[in-house]
Amino acid sequence: MFNCLKERIALKPEYSKELLAEMWKKLNLAREFETRVQWLFSMGLVHGTTHLGIGEEATAVGSILALKPQDYVFGTHRGHSQAIAKGIDIDRMMAEILAKETGVCKGKGGSMHIASPDINYFATSGILGASSVIANGAALTIKKRNERDRITAVFYGDGASNEGACFEALNLAALWKLPILFVCINNTYGMSTPIAKAMHDTDLSKRAYPFGIPSKTVDGNHVLEVYDAVSEAREYVLENGPMMVVENTYRISGHSKSDGNLYRSKEEINAWKEKCPIKAFRSYLAERRLFTEEELDAAVKEAAAVIDHAVEYGKASKNPSVDDVFDDVYA
């Protein structure tokens, strides 16, 4: 099943064992984190809503590990795995989802508005397309400061790609030759609507053509393909300005916590589960004997332990004070 990955991606010198281990670690942290959040919701321990990206982990891990720590990243409202890949404090992100004062946004942002400026991971937004416009501002800052080795990367989904703000952002980025990488995560559904019912041409890479922006489409379920594409794209952006990478994947989890998945069949979901990016990467690593089964299993157990600690940390943290409700409000 996973031979295609082995055949399509040769082991390159830049795939150090350290890099591969980091990919494996963060893929499992992301999956375990979201699985646990799903459970917390079912237990009534989380208020509001959340949007999980189970099945999309390779898009986040492959993309962000191909960037540099100094690069600005703007995630999506489905951005837990993006934040984890960027290196967020997982305890504090879990506390944020549990609405505790120790959260990364003091318990006021919740799942859809995770941010951690100390690692250059900026606010996600529930307003589709908005992050692309804001990210242009960060890219303009880089250009104005003449920073030579920094870019901005903005993630958005196939649904958001239909928003006017995304087209406006592409136009302005091209006009000003901004150092920005547009990363479109195509999980084939905008809420419950398949992309074929929402757009005439489902090749999202073509959205960049009218603006003279180069684009590339990759299999978003293969972390090394994603890594290669974004590594090359970053070099292009540094020298030339904006570029788009479309990463095709699938959201196994529902759109949000209240999604009953009535718009798609169990057969469809199960077929995509067989294409799981974590299963695919494990097979790649094991078949090449880059890690033993015991080493791979140990990383999975370690990820579970990290998330266990995060849950306990979040539960034990204090609730925000009502007296602070208007603090940090700027609009």
Side-chain angles (χ1 to χ4, degrees):
M1 181 192 312
F2 302 119
N3 286 340
C4 58
L5 176 60
K6 182 171 68 174
E7 292 169 1
R8 287 158 58 188
I9 305 175
L11 187 64
K12 298 182 179 180
E14 59 264 34
Y15 298 154
S16 66
K17 190 166 185 177
E18 291 74 19
L19 172 63
L20 296 173
E22 187 72 1
M23 286 179 171
W24 180 241
K25 170 186 172 182
K26 290 191 171 179
L27 285 169
N28 282 283
L29 280 172
R31 176 65 61 87
E32 186 66 30
F33 184 93
E34 294 210 307
T35 300
R36 203 68 60 87
V37 168
Q38 199 169 38
W39 177 80
L40 289 167
F41 263 108
S42 72
M43 299 298 292
L45 296 175
V46 181
H47 305 288
T49 191
T50 191
H51 300 80
L52 304 178
I54 295 173
E56 301 180 15
E57 295 88 356
T59 63
V61 174
S63 295
I64 292 176
L65 290 187
L67 301 174
K68 303 298 182 185
Q70 66 269 24
D71 293 337
Y72 298 138
V73 172
F74 289 77
T76 69
H77 62 288
R78 199 181 306 283
H80 305 138
S81 58
Q82 295 156 13
I84 288 171
K86 186 66 170 150
I88 201 166
D89 186 312
I90 293 177
D91 286 349
R92 294 185 63 213
M93 183 163 72
M94 185 65 80
E96 182 63 33
I97 290 174
L98 292 172
K100 297 303 180 76
E101 68 176 11
T102 55
V104 290
C105 297
K106 302 180 182 178
K108 300 177 182 180
S111 175
M112 284 198 294
H113 303 282
I114 300 296
S116 188
D118 57 310
I119 59 169
N120 296 316
Y121 186 78
F122 293 99
T124 57
S125 174
I127 303 174
L128 295 185
S131 292
S132 294
V133 179
I134 299 168
N136 266 354
L140 180 61
T141 298
I142 293 171
K143 187 168 185 176
K144 291 288 187 180
R145 290 177 176 172
N146 198 30
E147 295 176 327
R148 297 293 186 180
D149 190 25
R150 170 178 274 175
I151 72 166
T152 293
V154 58
F155 289 79
Y156 60 99
D158 51 283
S161 73
N162 283 331
E163 293 290 328
C166 282
F167 289 98
E168 293 165 7
L170 287 166
N171 180 61
L172 200 59
L175 178 65
W176 290 347
K177 295 184 179 179
L178 298 178
I180 183 168
L181 175 62
F182 295 92
V183 183
C184 181
I185 308 301
N186 175 22
N187 64 23
T188 78
Y189 282 94
M191 294 185 70
S192 60
T193 304
I195 60 172
K197 291 187 177 181
M199 56 189 75
H200 174 67
D201 190 337
T202 58
D203 182 354
L204 298 179
S205 67
K206 294 179 182 177
R207 299 292 179 92
Y209 293 175
F211 309 103
I213 295 175
S215 61
K216 184 172 185 178
T217 300
V218 297
D219 187 338
N221 274 22
H222 290 322
V223 66
L224 293 176
E225 275 197 37
V226 174
Y227 177 85
D228 284 348
V230 174
S231 295
E232 294 170 5
R234 185 180 187 274
E235 293 304 311
Y236 178 89
V237 169
L238 282 173
E239 297 297 325
N240 304 285
M243 183 172 173
M244 177 190 293
V245 174
V246 178
E247 300 174 3
N248 294 329
T249 183
Y250 189 83
R251 165 173 52 79
I252 293 172
S253 49
H255 168 70
S256 65
K257 70 165 186 173
S258 56
D259 187 349
N261 273 322
L262 301 179
Y263 50 90
R264 52 185 180 171
S265 67
K266 290 182 179 179
E267 290 76 17
E268 177 183 315
I269 296 172
N270 288 335
W272 276 96
K273 284 182 178 180
E274 291 302 309
K275 301 175 185 177
C276 169
I278 298 177
K279 286 182 180 179
F281 193 49
R282 179 174 186 130
S283 177
Y284 176 89
L285 296 175
E287 287 179 10
R288 289 177 173 272
R289 299 182 181 179
L290 298 168
F291 297 91
T292 65
E293 294 289 351
E294 291 74 18
E295 288 173 322
L296 295 172
D297 287 339
V300 175
K301 291 179 181 178
E302 183 180 352
V306 169
I307 304 307
D308 281 341
H309 185 275
V311 171
E312 294 308 312
Y313 176 86
K315 287 181 177 179
S317 296
K318 293 182 180 179
N319 293 320
S321 170
V322 175
D323 295 334
D324 301 329
V325 68
F326 292 114
D327 290 353
D328 308 308
V329 176
Y330 299 100

